[in-house]
Amino acid sequence: MDEYMSAPRVWGLMCPGSREEVTRARRWTRDILSNHPCADDAELIVSELGSNALTHTTSGSPYGTFQLTLSLSPRTVAISVTDEGGHPEEPRSTEADPDDTHGRGLTIVMALARRLDITGSQHGRTVTAQLVAPEQAGVTTC
């Protein structure tokens, strides 16, 4: 049966455009990545990217959705969130004031990820963050 297993392994989750779905997406990510050294960082990235999709695009509209994809290879986790578009500008990191309650999400993702790619247009974008687990045994951070 191993000859039919692909590497990397890929999972997908379609989420309706409500805030509760970010919680479900985090839990789903945690279940898939249980015991993986990048699980905590991946869960935080899913939360930030999912929340951004709902806040800044039509994914957060009453009939909106966002798509979450996890790709897992032995040392790498790729997290992709695809939104429904509706915003003319590409997502970008901003410098939030200390009292701001928003504006740090993409900066957090960039700090955690080895690589960040943004593709698409105002008709829908995919933001992909790549995490790489450390090579040393016993290290529990990405």
Side-chain angles (χ1 to χ4, degrees):
M1 188 63 139
D2 286 338
E3 70 261 23
Y4 297 108
M5 297 295 287
S6 66
R9 296 178 64 188
V10 178
W11 292 264
L13 180 67
M14 182 67 76
C15 298
S18 67
R19 296 283 168 200
E20 298 82 32
E21 291 301 309
V22 174
T23 302
R24 183 171 75 103
R26 285 177 64 122
R27 189 172 44 249
W28 179 80
T29 301
R30 171 64 63 189
D31 288 347
I32 290 171
L33 297 177
S34 64
N35 300 320
H36 192 282
C38 294
D40 291 337
D41 290 347
E43 186 178 1
L44 180 55
I45 288 171
V46 164
S47 181
E48 294 298 338
L49 296 181
S51 294
N52 283 352
L54 294 177
T55 302
H56 301 293
T57 74
T58 58
S59 291
S61 67
Y63 296 102
T65 62
F66 67 93
Q67 170 75 36
L68 170 61
T69 305
L70 293 178
S71 177
L72 179 63
S73 63
R75 287 191 53 231
T76 304
V77 176
I79 301 127
S80 297
V81 172
T82 303
D83 64 47
E84 291 190 342
H87 196 280
E89 295 179 24
E90 184 173 290
R92 59 183 165 72
S93 176
T94 60
E95 181 136 352
D97 289 329
D99 296 333
D100 288 346
T101 58
H102 297 283
R104 294 176 184 84
L106 205 52
T107 302
I108 292 168
V109 171
M110 291 169 66
L112 295 172
R114 169 77 54 93
R115 179 179 174 156
L116 185 73
D117 293 313
I118 301 170
T119 58
S121 68
Q122 67 182 8
H123 304 292
R125 286 191 176 83
T126 299
V127 180
T128 301
Q130 183 184 59
L131 299 169
V132 178
E135 289 188 52
Q136 298 103 351
V139 176
T140 59
T141 60
C142 289

